[in-house]
Amino acid sequence: MKIFESHTIKEIDNATCEAQNIDSLQLMERAANAVACEIITRFFPTQRIVVIAGPGNNGGDALAVARILYEQGYKKVEVFLFNVIGKLSHDCEEERKKLITMDGIDFTEVKRDFQPPYLSENDVVVDGMFGCGLNKQLQGGFMMLARYINDSGAYVVSIDLPSGLFGEWNADVNRRDVVHADLTLSFQTPKLSFFFSENSDVLGEWKLLDIDLDDSMMKEIPTNYLLVEAKNVRPLLKPRKLFTGKRDYGSVLLFSGSIGMMGAAVLSARACLRSGAGLVTVHSARIGMPVVQTAVPEAMFEPDRNENYITDMGVHHTHQAVVAGPGIGTNDRTVDALEELLKTTKSPLVLDADALNCIARRPQLLTNLPSYTIITPHIGEFDRLFGEHNNSEDRLKKAIEMAKYHNIIIVLKGHYTATVRPTGRVYFNSTGNPGMATAGSGDVLTGVIAAFLAQGYRPEHAATLGVYIHGLAGDMAVKEIGEYGLVSSDIANYCGRAIRAIINRESPLF
Ligand SMILES: NC(=O)C1=CN([C@@H]2O[C@H](COP(=O)(O)OP(=O)(O)OC[C@H]3O[C@@H](n4cnc5c(N)ncnc54)[C@H](O)[C@@H]3O)[C@@H](O)[C@H]2O)[C@@H](O)CC1
Ligand SMILES: [K+]
């Protein structure tokens, strides 16, 4: 699903009106109906609802919601329209006219002084102050109103965006001066700002409401940000053919594990096999042989010369994917071995965890990364590699810059893992849950991505598929085990079922 920038929304609205032969007020009615429906499913008609409307179309939506709720029997609706400069958008003005003709509705138009209504945790506020037309941070009365709403404890439903939050970049915005929603109801496609952790408290739960916007225009408008859903990954998955053998599904070489961290090798190998790789070889410290051979009997083991850690990353056979990182530690001799690997390997490469920490210790190695190498840092590893970042927006911008500069794929792990391609396009993932914040989860992801590389998928597809499937496996496992009890082996064990769910279009994915 595309993530559009706020300034393109008008274009999509106009195209929708033209293609469907409706006017903008009819589209607004559709949007308002969708919002009102969500409120009706959550609150009884006896609920006191305070509607705050700004001067633009976000305010127009809010006025229309107030009217619809009132018509549906919600008699405790109080409306405040902020018309402080005496200029409303055309559609907001039309909605105002409709509302003031309604008998009995409690309507206040604020032109200068404003006596805020009493609000408590028993009330619902519908926030239609500003949406994607916000052009500067909230100031003066609007800022005070946002703070007043936040302090009230009322349940806040924000239309399109919490007022004061920009659709895209908010690093300089003081979140205290932004309305804090409990529920954000946005239209059809998400905004970029939904994917940054700093906005999570402001957005509350967010939901997309389908208002039947024009598909062809949405296909046409270019965007650098996308949300990956089941329908996007399904077409990438190739069916397995009848007359095939394990060699057709590739061989993965995993440089993984060291003394005390052999579990990383086990988890990666398991996930790799559960994601369809034909053959998996673990190269690790000699000490790890009995561990790997017992825990993952399907994998082969290639012992390093060294007892406790890896000192040789020579690739002696043909492998369709090579992984370095999980649990390898950052011993100098391991860093040397990694340097050799980066300079000599011809196989598609995935680098994770300690491989990235090794590179952080010897940053010139970044210039040795083969094109289309996939690196999978979490925030800490990313900052060790590319410098400290104060917020997730700056970090994402840096990831885009680095993916382009080094011609690599960066999988920046987080709640919405962002896979950044060498083109600079960003693919946010839609699967996963907080139960997956557990030791070894990243080792599993690395194994899944490597499995798809080995099976002949293009690196950018392997990364996107791997991230989605890893998250879905976690979502499926969590249903049985719960967020507290979920461990990484569970995620690895569910990978196969996750792939099957996508291929078979199982609900609720489709
Ligand atoms: N496709 C969609 O997403 C649809 C969107 N609609 C609504 O239309 C909204 C966008 O409408 P608009 O473009 O009119 O934008 P807004 O309603 O967000 O606000 C624009 C108005 O607010 C003023 N303004 C902006 N920032 C301000 C600030 N900090 N302080 C004071 N005044 C400020 C502007 O001068 C302008 O008058 C969306 O957020 C959504 O609610 C729906 O009506 C229809 C479909
Ligand atoms: K709003």
Side-chain angles (χ1 to χ4, degrees):
M1 178 190 285
K2 284 182 171 178
I3 298 166
F4 294 104
E5 292 186 56
S6 298
H7 65 87
T8 58
I9 303 280
K10 273 260 144 43
E11 219 177 318
I12 300 171
D13 287 357
N14 292 341
T16 304
C17 291
E18 202 169 307
Q20 300 174 10
N21 202 19
I22 55 171
D23 63 26
S24 57
L25 271 172
Q26 284 167 293
L27 185 60
M28 184 171 275
E29 191 72 9
R30 216 183 263 175
N33 261 314
V35 171
C37 264
E38 292 293 329
I39 295 173
I40 289 167
T41 57
R42 286 172 172 80
F43 298 98
F44 292 117
T46 48
Q47 176 64 51
R48 177 173 180 245
I49 299 177
V50 176
V51 177
I52 307 287
N57 286 355
N58 196 249
D61 288 350
L63 297 181
V65 168
R67 168 173 48 78
I68 294 164
L69 288 175
Y70 194 74
E71 284 166 353
Q72 293 299 316
Y74 287 72
K75 295 300 172 208
K76 289 194 205 162
V77 175
E78 295 167 35
V79 188
F80 293 86
L81 168 62
F82 288 82
N83 186 8
V84 285
I85 57 167
K87 189 167 176 288
L88 302 176
S89 73
H90 172 269
D91 291 355
C92 186
E93 179 60 45
E94 292 303 308
E95 290 299 342
R96 175 185 168 278
K97 283 184 199 153
K98 285 190 211 170
L99 200 68
I100 54 177
T101 58
M102 293 180 81
D103 280 341
I105 196 155
D106 189 341
F107 176 79
T108 307
E109 188 160 342
V110 181
K111 294 197 163 149
R112 284 197 56 203
D113 298 326
F114 169 54
Q115 191 57 42
Y118 171 76
L119 287 177
S120 79
E121 59 269 25
N122 299 324
D123 301 316
V124 170
V125 169
V126 173
D127 158 36
M129 224 189 303
F130 300 107
C132 58
L134 185 77
N135 53 28
K136 58 179 187 290
Q137 288 186 37
L138 296 190
Q139 287 162 346
F142 289 120
M143 182 180 84
M144 299 309 286
L145 179 57
R147 288 187 186 175
Y148 181 78
I149 294 170
N150 295 343
D151 291 342
S152 72
Y155 185 95
V156 179
V157 180
S158 285
I159 302 177
D160 206 21
L161 274 165
S163 296
L165 192 75
F166 291 99
E168 287 75 39
W169 310 108
N170 292 278
D172 300 329
V173 174
N174 185 350
R175 305 301 195 287
R176 189 178 163 218
D177 302 335
V178 175
V179 171
H180 281 53
D182 292 280
L183 176 66
T184 298
L185 298 171
S186 208
F187 302 117
Q188 200 119 359
T189 60
K191 317 277 189 268
L192 181 60
S193 55
F194 292 7
F195 300 95
F196 297 117
S197 59
E198 292 85 351
N199 301 328
S200 168
D201 284 350
V202 164
L203 287 158
E205 176 199 347
W206 58 265
K207 189 168 178 186
L208 302 177
L209 306 179
D210 191 341
I211 54 167
D212 198 17
L213 293 173
D214 186 47
D215 265 345
S216 52
M217 182 49 95
M218 290 200 285
K219 281 202 183 100
E220 212 172 281
I221 294 180
T223 158
N224 279 327
Y225 303 97
L226 298 104
L227 178 64
V228 178
E229 299 176 294
K231 66 173 188 286
N232 307 117
V233 295
R234 191 173 175 276
L236 300 178
L237 284 169
K238 301 172 202 161
R240 283 167 87 106
K241 300 200 180 84
L242 289 179
F243 291 91
T244 48
K246 62 190 174 211
R247 300 254 163 228
D248 295 308
Y249 301 105
S251 168
V252 178
L253 177 59
L254 284 170
F255 291 107
S256 177
S258 58
I259 184 165
M261 294 197 281
M262 285 314 301
V266 170
L267 290 165
S268 288
R270 227 181 244 164
C272 198
L273 286 156
R274 287 279 187 208
S275 302
L279 289 160
V280 174
T281 305
V282 175
H283 177 113
S284 191
R286 295 192 91 80
I287 200 171
M289 179 126 92
V291 178
V292 173
Q293 299 267 261
T294 312
V296 205
E298 299 87 351
M300 288 174 283
F301 192 85
E302 189 182 272
D304 197 272
R305 283 188 296 272
N306 192 283
E307 190 66 12
N308 296 330
Y309 48 87
I310 297 174
T311 59
D312 173 20
M313 292 196 190
V315 180
H316 307 295
H317 302 281
T318 306
H319 297 283
Q320 284 67 44
V322 173
V323 172
I328 61 173
T330 56
N331 187 287
D332 278 344
R333 290 182 62 195
T334 307
V335 184
D336 291 341
L338 180 66
E339 178 161 4
E340 192 57 27
L341 173 71
L342 297 184
K343 287 180 175 165
T344 55
T345 185
K346 299 275 179 287
S347 308
L349 202 55
V350 189
L351 301 178
D352 178 35
D354 277 338
L356 305 176
N357 294 329
C358 287
I359 296 174
R361 289 190 55 197
R362 207 176 284 176
Q364 70 272 23
L365 292 188
L366 273 175
T367 56
N368 296 117
L369 294 181
S371 284
Y372 280 80
T373 293
I374 301 171
I375 68 169
T376 58
H378 56 55
I379 288 168
E381 288 157 352
F382 185 88
D383 281 8
R384 274 195 285 283
L385 272 181
F386 300 116
E388 285 291 313
H389 294 87
N390 293 330
N391 58 68
S392 18
E393 293 181 8
D394 288 352
R395 197 171 289 110
L396 184 70
K397 286 177 184 166
K398 185 55 151 281
I400 294 168
E401 188 191 328
M402 291 296 104
K404 285 179 174 170
Y405 182 78
H406 294 291
N407 205 29
I408 56 173
I409 295 162
I410 302 181
V411 175
L412 183 53
K413 294 184 288 197
H415 179 51
Y416 297 106
T417 292
T419 300
V420 188
R421 296 188 181 179
T423 53
R425 277 191 128 195
V426 180
Y427 293 73
F428 290 101
N429 188 44
S430 61
T431 54
N433 63 77
M436 297 173 73
T438 180
S441 179
D443 305 330
V444 172
L445 173 64
T446 309
V448 185
I449 295 174
F452 283 98
L453 270 184
Q455 290 170 82
Y457 290 80
R458 280 161 45 188
E460 57 274 38
H461 290 165
T464 303
L465 274 166
V467 171
Y468 185 88
I469 289 163
H470 173 254
L472 181 59
D475 289 344
M476 292 171 81
V478 94
K479 283 201 184 121
E480 201 176 305
I481 297 154
E483 287 185 357
Y484 279 68
L486 189 79
V487 293
S488 295
S489 316
D490 303 323
I491 308 172
N493 287 336
Y494 266 91
C495 285
R497 275 170 269 195
I499 297 168
R500 188 185 59 190
I502 300 167
I503 292 174
N504 292 351
R505 299 174 185 266
E506 285 171 22
S507 73
L509 294 179
F510 289 91

